[in-house]
Amino acid sequence: MKIVDVVCAAGRTGFFFDDQKAIKEGAKTNGGTYAGDPLTAGFTQVRQSGEAISIMYVLEDGQIAHGDCAAVQYSGASGRDPLFLAEQFIPMIEQEIAPLLIGQELNSFKDLCKITEGNFKDKQLKDKQLHTAIRYGLSQANLDAVAKSKHKLMAEVIASEYGQLVSAKAIPIFCQSGDNRYDGADKMIIKQADILPHALINNVADKLGYKGELLLEYITWLSKRIIELRPNNNYHPTLHLDLYGTVGIIFNNNVEKIVDYLATLEKAAYPFNLNIEGPVDTGERESQIVCLAAITQSLDNKGIAVKIVADEWCNTLEDVRDFADFKAGHILQIKTPDLGGINNTAEAVLYCKSKGVGAYQGGTCNETDRSAIVCTHVAMGCSPDQILAKPGMGVDEGYMIVFNEMNRILRLGKRLS
């Protein structure tokens, strides 16, 4: 079966593009947005609407394969590709990419991704590959098209082409609350999310505290709240909080001071396990690897059970490999839109597993329902340690999308086995 046409449609995502630099430097919340001037190139406001492009392949038999181009909330930060705006990229996809895809046989997901990952350059990015968001959406459509041509689940195609088996059990789901970290946590506890609540600790003054006291207070509350609301003692989630480098700010990236502070958070989280994502952001890749590796080793040496999750500067497949090789974190977030094609996501998950490093198949609140569904199939095909509930920060919607699709795959797998 072949691709006979490629059609694009502009879309919205489940959240926003936010200028991380402006927020870190003190942009104040103003209702549902931020006051102040943007500081990252391409932004016209500190917060602006998230945009997507739906890429639809029309197949020979009339079926439509579909993927969504989307970029992370904090586009343009920590070495990521710039702001992704639909009107800038739809003409390029239609004029430069579509002709290379029309007529392609749908024999192999990997082979299609070789075309969409590397055979042409993005003129707007000069010497770089296509924008990661475009490669992300194209690869989703590639997977859907091959699955439709073979009458298989997308998860089955991933497992087959990467020498794996479709998971026979659910992958733990991690929910994120955004700034609504109290009511959002209640939702997660009621729904019995496996991992929670993210909490968006991206500002020292309002969320962390200049001595870390605000975060300590929140984790203490969260641990007690789970015990108060959980239906029974069998519900024992992992606490996972994203700090966006703010702990590094208050301790000037001093490893031992950071580790001592994390030990106090571990006690506050008891009896629940604690993951800390992004304790530092050193401002560039190599020093970030060194600093996270030092924090990880120090925690291990001292017997502190807090797990470090790498995020900032761990953007590409090459980055994931380097972070894993240097043990720069106990767990690596594989931030799916940042890796470009979802073929890179699958390879990153499998590389982490081969190195004994936790694989968190993440992404961003600023995705779509379609990218979340396709990512769920990738996860079920290569079995990471956890997967992000997405898109959005409202908890209910993202959790529903990922949970329901995962259970469809599980039930269909039992029927087909």
Side-chain angles (χ1 to χ4, degrees):
M1 193 181 298
K2 296 180 180 180
I3 301 169
V4 298
D5 200 6
V6 177
V7 180
C8 293
R12 297 293 190 192
T13 64
F15 204 64
F16 304 97
F17 290 122
D18 285 341
D19 182 346
Q20 187 185 75
K21 184 176 182 181
I23 293 168
K24 281 187 173 182
E25 295 194 13
K28 298 297 183 182
T29 55
N30 177 21
T33 186
Y34 290 90
D37 297 323
L39 298 177
T40 299
F43 280 80
T44 56
Q45 299 173 335
V46 177
R47 167 166 285 179
Q48 55 194 78
S49 180
E51 301 188 16
I53 300 173
S54 290
I55 297 181
M56 295 164 280
Y57 296 171
V58 181
L59 310 186
E60 276 186 304
D61 63 356
Q63 294 187 88
I64 307 296
H66 167 209
D68 278 356
C69 304
V72 296
Q73 174 188 7
Y74 297 117
S75 291
S78 301
R80 299 185 178 106
D81 277 357
L83 198 65
F84 180 73
L85 302 177
E87 67 176 10
Q88 293 180 5
F89 289 103
I90 286 178
M92 186 195 67
I93 295 170
E94 293 177 336
Q95 296 165 21
E96 300 178 31
I97 301 172
L100 297 174
L101 292 168
I102 293 171
Q104 290 292 333
E105 292 280 359
L106 301 175
N107 296 322
S108 164
F109 166 67
K110 285 184 177 180
D111 286 349
L112 274 181
C113 287
K114 288 177 182 176
I115 297 171
T116 56
E117 281 283 300
N119 281 13
F120 40 82
K121 300 293 182 182
D122 182 342
K123 293 179 180 178
Q124 298 188 51
L125 296 179
K126 297 182 180 178
D127 294 331
K128 294 185 71 176
Q129 283 180 294
L130 286 167
H131 195 293
T132 49
I134 297 176
R135 290 186 277 137
Y136 191 43
L138 288 167
S139 64
Q140 295 165 39
N142 292 346
L143 179 59
D144 191 22
V146 172
K148 283 182 163 64
S149 73
K150 296 178 180 292
H151 302 286
K152 291 184 175 182
L153 298 176
M154 290 184 283
E156 291 179 300
V157 173
I158 289 289
S160 174
E161 295 203 21
Y162 288 93
Q164 305 296 305
L165 296 174
V166 175
S167 179
K169 61 181 181 180
I171 308 299
I173 298 174
F174 170 38
C175 286
Q176 54 183 344
S177 64
D179 281 325
N180 193 16
R181 62 187 60 81
Y182 290 93
D183 289 347
D186 281 359
K187 291 181 179 183
M188 297 170 196
I189 298 164
I190 292 167
K191 293 178 183 290
Q192 298 186 53
D194 305 294
I195 306 162
L196 68 145
H198 185 270
L200 197 70
I201 309 299
N202 61 355
N203 177 277
V204 171
D206 300 327
K207 302 176 184 180
L208 178 70
Y210 289 101
K211 295 182 179 179
E213 72 278 4
L214 298 179
L215 178 59
L216 180 62
E217 178 183 308
Y218 175 72
I219 291 177
T220 301
W221 171 86
L222 180 61
S223 177
K224 292 178 180 178
R225 190 64 168 169
I226 294 169
I227 293 170
E228 176 186 351
L229 295 185
R230 65 183 177 179
N232 55 62
N233 291 341
N234 292 329
Y235 176 56
H236 198 85
T238 294
L239 310 188
H240 180 138
L241 293 102
D242 193 348
L243 308 190
Y244 294 90
T246 53
V247 170
I249 293 172
I250 65 171
F251 293 118
N252 197 30
N253 290 342
N254 182 293
V255 169
E256 293 312 310
K257 289 182 179 180
I258 290 169
V259 168
D260 289 344
Y261 174 66
L262 295 181
T264 68
L265 298 185
E266 179 188 30
K267 293 176 183 177
Y270 183 83
F272 305 105
N273 295 331
L274 179 63
N275 296 344
I276 292 294
E277 182 173 346
V280 300
D281 182 351
T282 65
E284 60 93 30
R285 181 182 182 275
E286 280 66 32
S287 61
Q288 181 79 350
I289 290 174
V290 170
C291 193
L292 284 185
I295 294 170
T296 301
Q297 185 175 16
S298 180
L299 287 167
D300 292 346
N301 290 344
K302 293 183 176 182
I304 300 168
V306 175
K307 292 187 182 299
I308 296 299
V309 184
D311 178 8
E312 310 301 333
W313 301 101
C314 188
N315 300 328
T316 67
L317 176 58
E318 180 183 1
D319 293 338
V320 170
R321 287 170 174 160
D322 286 347
F323 274 70
D325 287 345
F326 285 93
K327 297 292 190 292
H330 301 94
I331 302 167
L332 306 187
Q333 180 178 178
I334 298 158
K335 208 171 188 98
T336 54
D338 282 339
L339 271 73
I342 54 173
N343 52 303
N344 294 325
T345 292
E347 291 189 21
V349 169
L350 297 176
Y351 192 83
C352 286
K353 292 169 69 173
S354 74
K355 292 292 183 175
V357 174
Y360 157 30
Q361 188 183 301
T364 175
C365 53
N366 193 46
E367 294 191 48
T368 70
D369 56 335
R370 183 57 181 170
S371 65
I373 285 171
V374 178
C375 283
T376 303
H377 280 263
V378 175
M380 292 299 285
C382 57
S383 300
D385 296 285
Q386 64 186 64
I387 181 175
L388 180 66
K390 57 188 182 181
M393 290 285 199
V395 178
D396 304 296
E397 301 84 357
Y399 184 76
M400 172 190 68
I401 289 167
V402 173
F403 182 91
N404 289 357
E405 188 66 16
M406 193 179 296
N407 279 282
R408 292 182 195 110
I409 296 166
L410 288 168
R411 292 297 296 168
L412 287 169
K414 289 180 180 179
R415 179 181 181 276
L416 297 171
S417 61

